[in-house]
Amino acid sequence: MEVIYILLGLLILWMGYLYARFLSKRIICCRKLKSICKAKGFQLHRNHMLWFLGGRNGKKCDCYIESPTSVMCIKLFGVVPRLRTLVFVEERAYFLRRHMGMLLFLNEKVDGESRELPGYDFYYKGKDSFPEKKRYHILLVNPVPVEMLHQFDNGQEVILNPGDKIRDMEVYNQSWLLEKLENLE
């Protein structure tokens, strides 16, 4: 009976670590976005109270960064398990790939359950509040997985680089978004 309690305790610690890592990455991202917006004179509009905890299944955009010439509409997409590969299948679905085996000769891959990629709403409170400004629809993957891939219908996979498009969204990680904000006028 004690073995079961020990195993249960280890499982809770492991799961707690994953979500604590997720929360700390999101808080760091929130602070960095706020500080760069303050330094550049941009406005950060939140779409809901705990916007930095936005998930990949929510339909609404999480925040907007408004500069004098453009608006960056940001939807957060997090990958909780760190050692996974995020694979976008064409423009309709995604799944997480687990890599089994730590040794080079045991490089087995197990694809997770395929989930439909929701159609995200990138409008501020349901309307286009910034019609005269250039709009960027950004899918911010934070925390990031080991690798991001784009899989085509024929089975070919290519590495998804920050700035590449899935549907009408540009996929970014935190460092690329901060760099883009730094260079934005």
Side-chain angles (χ1 to χ4, degrees):
M1 194 66 171
E2 290 178 17
V3 173
I4 293 174
Y5 288 135
I6 291 172
L7 291 176
L8 185 62
L10 289 174
L11 179 67
I12 290 171
L13 283 175
W14 180 68
M15 292 300 290
Y17 167 74
L18 290 176
Y19 286 100
R21 177 184 169 273
F22 175 84
L23 183 63
S24 68
K25 293 284 187 182
R26 286 291 179 90
I27 289 172
I28 290 168
C29 180
C30 174
R31 286 183 181 165
K32 287 184 178 184
L33 284 176
K34 284 182 179 181
S35 69
I36 201 163
C37 286
K38 185 176 180 180
K40 298 284 282 183
F42 299 160
Q43 291 181 344
L44 177 67
H45 301 279
R46 298 177 285 243
N47 211 13
H48 49 88
M49 189 170 163
L50 296 173
W51 65 272
F52 61 93
L53 294 178
R56 57 186 171 219
N57 295 327
K59 303 270 188 195
K60 296 253 183 218
C61 195
D62 294 310
C63 69
Y64 303 87
I65 297 176
E66 182 183 3
S67 77
T69 59
S70 60
V71 175
M72 300 183 109
C73 310
I74 300 171
K75 175 62 185 151
L76 292 165
F77 190 100
V79 178
V80 175
R82 185 176 71 174
L83 300 174
R84 300 285 191 275
T85 297
L86 175 61
V87 181
F88 290 102
V89 181
E90 273 302 313
E91 297 191 358
R92 23 172 223 283
Y94 70 93
F95 63 87
L96 295 175
R97 177 175 290 158
R98 175 181 286 180
H99 299 275
M100 304 297 282
M102 299 295 180
L103 303 174
L104 293 176
F105 60 90
L106 288 175
N107 192 9
E108 288 292 320
K109 300 174 189 172
V110 177
D111 292 345
E113 176 185 341
S114 182
R115 298 177 186 200
E116 182 181 342
L117 187 63
Y120 297 123
D121 179 17
F122 285 98
Y123 292 104
Y124 186 63
K125 298 191 180 181
K127 60 183 180 187
D128 191 2
S129 299
F130 316 100
E132 71 283 352
K133 297 185 179 187
K134 181 171 172 135
R135 298 178 65 90
Y136 297 98
H137 296 174
I138 295 174
L139 187 67
L140 178 60
V141 180
N142 182 283
V144 294
V146 171
E147 188 175 39
M148 291 187 290
L149 300 173
H150 188 190
Q151 184 182 66
F152 298 101
D153 283 335
N154 62 4
Q156 179 187 8
E157 293 180 350
V158 295
I159 293 175
L160 192 65
N161 295 311
D164 288 350
K165 288 203 170 222
I166 296 289
R167 284 195 186 156
D168 62 343
M169 308 170 286
E170 296 177 48
V171 179
Y172 280 106
N173 58 22
Q174 177 183 320
S175 60
W176 277 84
L177 177 63
L178 293 174
E179 185 177 322
K180 184 167 181 111
L181 286 171
E182 213 36 72
N183 295 328
L184 197 62
E185 296 289 326

